[in-house]
Amino acid sequence: MCGIVGAVAQRNVVPILLEGLRRLEYRGYDSAGLVVVHEGGLERVRSVGRVQGLAEAAAGHGVHGHTGIAHTRWATHGAPTEANAHPHISGELAVVHNGIIENHEALRHRLMDLGYRFTSETDTEVIAHLIHFHLRSEADLLRATQKAVAELAGAYAIGVALASAPNRLVCARQGSPLLVGLGIEENFIASDVSALLPVTQRVIYLEEGDVAELGLLAVRVYDREGRPAAREVHLSELSAEMAELGAYRHFMQKEIHEQPRAVADTLAGVLGAQSIAPEVFGFEAAEVFARTEQVLLLACGTSYHAACTAAHWLEAHAGLPARAEVASEYRYRASVPRPDTLVVTISQSGETADTLAALKQAQALGLADTLGICNVAESALIRASRLRFLTRAGPEIGVASTKAFTTQLAALFVLTLALAKARGRLNPEEEARHIQALRALPQQIADALKLEPAIAAWAERFADKHHALFLGRGVHYPIALEGALKLKEISYIHAEAYPAGELKHGPLALVDKDMPVVAIAPNDALLEKLKSNLEEVRARGGELYVFMDHEAHIAEQDNLHMMRVTPHAGVLSPVVHVVPLQILAYHAALVRGTDVDKPRNLAKSVTVE
Ligand code: G6P
């Protein structure tokens, strides 16, 4: 979603702003813009479409300056037009914004009564005029911004530049991510650290309600009450190269292939010892796990499918009642909190607005035992959770999540083992066996990746289809859901997933020769049931594509394509079986020629509701 970059330097900041925006492209956007302060005025360029278009427009206008702010916009209020693109200007000040201002209508009317004219449909323009209004009485950009943000309801990360204040930027955040990057006699702001990696790895993560002022030599941070606040400086572990494509055609393909490494890194800190230590989830974990009587898993999108898989594992192996719920539903639903619940939130970014709000809702209901499983160390989710586990997937750029998912599953299986152990349901032999299976997981994923050419050939057959059905049973049903989500996200083929037993209760009506049916059929206790479901499809002329393990036996028949993914992976089978589904979606999208890494209308980090 919207991305922000800003810079104060002694050199031309336009290349820094544009490179930062390019590095934020993965968040998803539909227009872009920038403003620089130059010779006492503001120079603005905006364009609909890709950052490359903005770069060309900026070069065409010879835009140049030592202080500037830039933005990629993912439309919420108002269509993706140039007039709605940020920065928004009021008099001599410019604002970029990520988030949603909930009281924008009331503020808009008040500002119109004060004589302000609006040129866009955005909620952001309200912020620009509001700061401008306060600047009249305050004559200081920091104070005026502090007064303005105190009047805003909703979520915002903002950057503000003033024509008469070269070498100065003010920024603020509440509910949306923003960090400050520290350079040598130059400083920066950005939505996430990847934007700044070419210029600095030293960052300050602003806290909720913070307002900061950046000059060439100093950065001052103030808390919500306006008091100077000391914020820690972090050295990012990421490097500029980590977020680069290398030999791959798309980030999604690169990230699919990184999964053996990502899963191994995620498990490295866990499997060093011969047994699972609860402390890998935080120093209070043993205490929390001892009192846990049920688990509530909250997440969105792909992370929700990891939650669904984990709910199966937790009930089956830890004997704990476990429920996965979509975060945007939980946050607004009247639910019955039980104090012995462990609330697990799962998120790649740790900034997804609904997941954060669901966590807050659980906490407001008195559920204090919270665990965040997340891929970003300094994210809001990690900071707000009592226990935490960092997946070590590395930056995920492709909008469609892949390596984040398999690393989440690895983490959630470790959680299952830790809780099973805390409840006396895991004897040392079983524990050793599971640890062995986890150690073997990266290699099994690597073996599944070797199927790419064969899966690419299958994908050709999907390219002219309009619909596809994914079937799974038990713990593989969430994997079917994930396979369907991947396909629809990036190839735009409508795909649905069903627990195979539900076929007769509706979806069978859709099956014909134009509806490919993908099934996940490992050799587990449900295989025989699943085979009957597959027969039901074949009997209606449906074309079946079945991913199975080496031990599964299904008789060869017409309209039945089979691919063996792995030797039976036991409990971890879902982690291996999702890999061919990711590859299938990727290649179907390639054949259809879609923008794989930046699918239309979607955003990587959904930082607004
Ligand atoms: C967006 C992304 C998905 C992701 C979901 C949740 O929809 O496109 O890939 O699964 O958000 O994001 P999170 O960062 O919380 O895992």
Side-chain angles (χ1 to χ4, degrees):
M1 257 176 195
C2 303
I4 291 175
V5 191
V8 184
Q10 297 179 66
R11 50 178 165 159
N12 178 20
V13 296
V14 172
I16 299 172
L17 298 178
L18 289 169
E19 179 58 21
L21 290 187
R22 278 191 198 101
R23 289 172 172 270
L24 293 178
E25 282 190 302
Y26 77 94
R27 297 169 71 91
Y29 70 104
D30 33 48
S31 54
L34 64 82
V35 147
V36 288
V37 176
H38 187 60
E39 294 179 348
L42 296 176
E43 288 182 6
R44 174 170 68 174
V45 261
R46 297 181 290 176
S47 71
V48 174
R50 294 285 172 237
V51 171
Q52 187 51 31
L54 180 73
E56 283 157 19
H61 290 91
V63 178
H64 179 280
H66 292 181
T67 298
I69 47 177
H71 189 264
T72 46
R73 173 171 186 258
W74 191 85
T76 55
H77 293 70
T81 60
E82 194 171 318
N84 286 332
H86 302 205
H88 288 287
I89 289 183
S90 181
E92 57 158 5
L93 75 85
V95 171
V96 288
H97 165 226
N98 171 13
I100 289 183
I101 303 305
E102 285 164 7
N103 57 341
H104 74 104
E105 277 182 33
L107 289 169
R108 182 181 271 255
H109 288 130
R110 207 179 96 205
L111 288 160
M112 280 164 71
D113 290 345
L114 287 164
Y116 284 97
R117 279 190 52 245
F118 282 78
T119 58
S120 79
E121 302 155 89
T122 65
D123 50 342
T124 304
E125 198 178 354
V126 161
I127 308 175
H129 291 320
L130 194 59
I131 300 175
H132 185 274
F133 168 72
H134 285 296
L135 204 53
R136 287 185 193 164
S137 52
E138 282 299 333
D140 173 71
L141 186 60
L142 175 73
R143 282 290 305 136
T145 305
Q146 285 169 322
K147 281 196 149 178
V149 296
E151 293 189 56
L152 302 178
Y156 57 81
I158 58 168
V160 194
L162 188 62
S164 58
N167 304 330
R168 200 155 167 234
L169 281 184
V170 169
C171 64
R173 81 163 282 245
Q174 167 76 47
S176 297
L178 195 68
L179 54 84
V180 174
L182 305 174
I184 297 167
E185 299 193 359
E186 53 185 17
N187 291 303
F188 313 93
I189 58 172
S191 299
D192 72 52
V193 67
S194 62
L196 300 183
L197 289 174
V199 284
T200 187
Q201 285 174 290
R202 294 172 63 230
V203 294
I204 294 172
Y205 294 94
L206 296 179
E207 294 191 3
E208 294 284 299
D210 279 357
V211 180
E213 183 179 34
L214 285 74
L216 286 171
L217 300 176
V219 170
R220 291 190 188 83
V221 183
Y222 301 88
D223 68 12
R224 194 189 302 279
E225 273 73 45
R227 295 175 301 224
R231 301 281 180 248
E232 213 181 316
V233 177
H234 296 260
L235 192 61
S236 172
E237 287 177 13
L238 305 181
S239 65
E241 297 71 42
M242 283 173 92
E244 270 155 27
L245 204 46
Y248 292 96
R249 203 163 153 193
H250 293 98
F251 280 106
M252 183 181 179
Q253 189 190 27
K254 176 181 180 226
E255 288 155 9
I256 288 173
H257 282 271
E258 281 175 343
Q259 290 180 108
R261 196 272 308 146
V263 169
D265 285 359
T266 298
L267 293 172
V270 178
L271 301 181
Q274 291 310 312
S275 67
I276 303 287
E279 287 70 31
V280 296
F281 295 96
F283 72 94
E284 291 177 282
E287 208 182 299
V288 170
F289 292 172
R291 61 175 175 250
T292 296
E293 290 299 333
Q294 62 170 10
V295 182
L296 172 63
L297 302 121
L298 302 170
C300 303
T302 289
S303 299
Y304 168 69
H305 297 153
C308 296
T309 313
H312 279 269
W313 280 337
L314 286 161
E315 298 224 335
H317 304 286
L320 277 169
R323 191 160 50 81
E325 189 163 344
V326 167
S328 55
E329 284 295 310
Y330 176 79
R331 67 180 290 193
Y332 291 120
R333 185 172 75 80
S335 59
V336 183
R338 266 185 49 179
D340 49 11
T341 303
L342 173 63
V343 179
V344 181
T345 49
I346 306 158
S347 172
Q348 189 284 128
S349 61
E351 303 290 350
T352 301
D354 282 323
T355 308
L356 289 172
L359 174 60
K360 280 191 191 140
Q361 165 71 1
Q363 287 165 332
L365 290 171
L367 302 179
D369 289 343
T370 56
L371 163 64
I373 294 183
C374 186
N375 198 33
V376 180
E378 289 300 330
S379 59
L381 190 85
I382 285 291
R383 280 180 277 145
S385 304
R386 168 172 273 175
L387 307 180
R388 58 214 48 189
F389 186 97
L390 272 184
T391 51
R392 304 227 169 249
E396 193 181 62
I397 308 292
V399 164
S401 186
T402 53
K403 61 177 179 171
F405 181 67
T406 39
T407 54
Q408 286 165 352
L409 289 180
L412 287 160
F413 189 69
V414 174
L415 175 67
T416 304
L417 296 183
L419 283 165
K421 208 167 157 182
R423 298 172 66 74
R425 292 179 64 108
L426 192 68
N427 64 42
E429 293 74 45
E430 285 166 332
E431 185 175 4
R433 220 179 53 239
H434 285 309
I435 289 177
Q436 197 43 42
L438 281 168
R439 289 207 175 109
L441 190 55
Q443 186 54 49
Q444 277 177 302
I445 295 174
D447 290 342
L449 291 171
K450 294 184 190 141
L451 298 171
E452 183 162 7
I455 300 170
W458 277 15
E460 301 268 347
R461 306 170 67 112
F462 280 65
D464 63 341
K465 299 290 187 284
H466 298 292
H467 308 276
L469 196 60
F470 284 69
L471 301 177
R473 291 194 82 127
V475 73
H476 292 92
Y477 168 52
I479 300 307
L481 284 169
E482 178 58 9
L485 178 63
K486 287 286 89 77
L487 190 69
K488 74 182 119 186
E489 274 181 310
I490 58 166
S491 75
Y492 315 149
I493 297 172
H494 169 228
E496 293 296 333
Y498 268 86
E502 274 290 292
L503 203 54
K504 290 196 239 7
H505 301 289
L508 205 49
L510 298 171
V511 170
D512 62 14
K513 63 176 181 21
D514 292 322
M515 168 81 111
V517 178
V518 180
I520 303 134
N523 183 35
D524 61 14
L526 294 168
L527 181 61
E528 290 308 317
K529 305 266 175 220
L530 184 72
K531 281 188 196 171
S532 322
N533 303 135
L534 302 186
E535 276 309 313
E536 291 158 13
V537 171
R538 260 182 27 85
R540 271 95 195 156
E543 184 125 22
L544 278 160
Y545 296 84
V546 183
F547 292 104
M548 53 212 272
D549 54 31
H550 293 186
E551 292 78 1
H553 290 290
I554 301 177
E556 302 221 358
Q557 298 179 71
D558 292 345
N559 290 343
L560 176 67
H561 312 274
M562 291 185 275
M563 199 178 297
R564 296 192 188 278
V565 180
T566 173
H568 186 56
V571 186
L572 293 170
S573 168
V575 193
V576 189
H577 272 93
V578 76
V579 174
L581 304 185
Q582 297 167 342
I583 299 174
L584 180 68
Y586 173 70
H587 282 278
L590 273 193
V591 181
R592 288 168 69 98
T594 59
D595 192 347
V596 173
D597 285 332
K598 296 187 276 293
R600 66 185 183 204
N601 306 339
L602 298 182
K604 178 78 184 154
S605 296
V606 182
T607 51
V608 297
E609 246 188 87

